[in-house]
Amino acid sequence: EHPEKIDMNYNKVDHPCWVHFNSIDYNAELNQVMVSSRAYSEIWIIDHDTATTGNSKSDLLFRYGNPAAYNRGTAADVKLFYQHDARWVKCGTKYEDAIMVFNNGTTRPEGQYSTIETWLPEKNNGGQYMMQRNGTFNATSLWIYNENNKRGRFFSRRISSVDLLPNGHVRICNGNEGRFFEIDEKENIVWQYICPISLGGIQVSQ
């Protein structure tokens, strides 16, 4: 009945990390905190101002990625798949005030592949996040990257991160592969580095 609340029974796993937060970001201008919940495949934004009156401080101001987590959709409505490193785009760069995230793509119905995604949350004229009549929140997609649209080529099952740099380039960490690379505004790879150390030890090229 309350989309602004968290359904503690959604992810029924016997594990102490039942929401599995994997990132946190603070927006000083908005005085808001954003967290990424891998287990719920959602990002949540809460108010950081304890002096604000109105809704309970436990209420979510905005949530996005998986409306099924609060009984407002089905598997077809899921946008995030075990994502990591959700963050606000830094001021002074393109997509200002938007949210960028490494969408791992694990459990993606059409096949497992990762994407970098940037959205602009929908707000009203007063700057507040808008809840739709059906109790969901909307966001406008601004940019999606998945390395030349080749599914399977760019995929990290877990971890990973992304950051938009002041010069407009994007720095990406494919955590599973230990691959770090930077792309320019035309999505050309500027440089990359692949860590030679894996769980099996140092990999030596032949």
Side-chain angles (χ1 to χ4, degrees):
E1 297 178 357
H2 297 278
E4 74 280 7
K5 303 291 186 182
I6 299 167
D7 181 2
M8 296 177 63
N9 296 311
Y10 168 71
N11 189 33
K12 298 180 179 179
V13 294
D14 184 17
H15 194 282
C17 189
W18 60 278
V19 293
H20 196 133
F21 288 147
N22 55 42
S23 71
I24 182 171
D25 194 21
Y26 173 61
N27 189 314
E29 183 178 352
L30 300 176
N31 200 20
Q32 295 172 359
V33 176
M34 176 168 56
V35 294
S36 167
S37 171
R38 180 182 187 273
Y40 280 65
S41 287
E42 281 193 293
I43 57 172
W44 299 336
I45 295 178
I46 60 173
D47 195 346
H48 183 258
D49 187 358
T50 57
T52 301
T53 58
N55 291 345
S56 165
K57 302 317 306 183
S58 63
D59 287 351
L60 302 180
L61 299 178
F62 178 80
R63 65 192 308 172
Y64 193 72
N66 181 18
Y70 51 104
N71 200 28
R72 291 299 190 283
T74 66
D77 301 308
V78 179
K79 304 295 185 184
L80 290 174
F81 304 92
Y82 288 2
Q83 79 290 338
H84 283 77
D85 196 29
R87 61 175 71 201
W88 274 286
V89 173
K90 294 182 178 66
C91 295
T93 61
K94 65 178 181 178
Y95 309 139
E96 187 172 342
D97 294 329
I99 294 169
M100 181 173 279
V101 63
F102 191 107
N103 194 0
N104 292 72
T106 309
T107 72
R108 198 189 294 265
E110 66 270 30
Q112 298 190 128
Y113 63 96
S114 299
T115 51
I116 305 300
E117 303 192 24
T118 308
W119 314 301
L120 188 64
E122 188 172 316
K123 298 181 180 181
N124 60 24
N125 293 333
Q128 298 173 319
Y129 300 104
M130 290 181 60
M131 183 186 295
Q132 306 303 306
R133 291 183 178 180
N134 65 354
T136 63
F137 294 86
N138 282 348
T140 302
S141 177
L142 301 179
W143 180 64
I144 298 178
Y145 172 82
N146 65 342
E147 199 156 15
N148 299 321
N149 298 313
K150 294 184 179 179
R151 297 179 180 179
R153 176 181 174 183
F154 179 53
F155 176 60
S156 181
R157 183 178 302 275
R158 55 193 178 89
I159 53 180
S160 307
S161 63
V162 60
D163 192 18
L164 180 61
L165 305 177
N167 64 355
H169 291 193
V170 179
R171 182 174 52 206
I172 301 168
C173 169
N174 183 318
N176 246 40
E177 294 182 353
R179 178 186 174 213
F180 305 85
F181 63 106
E182 181 179 324
I183 59 174
D184 62 19
E185 295 183 86
K186 295 183 178 180
E187 300 187 3
N188 298 310
I189 296 178
V190 178
W191 64 266
Q192 71 173 337
Y193 172 76
I194 300 176
C195 180
I197 301 174
S198 68
L199 292 176
I202 299 176
Q203 305 300 310
V204 180
S205 359
Q206 301 296 324

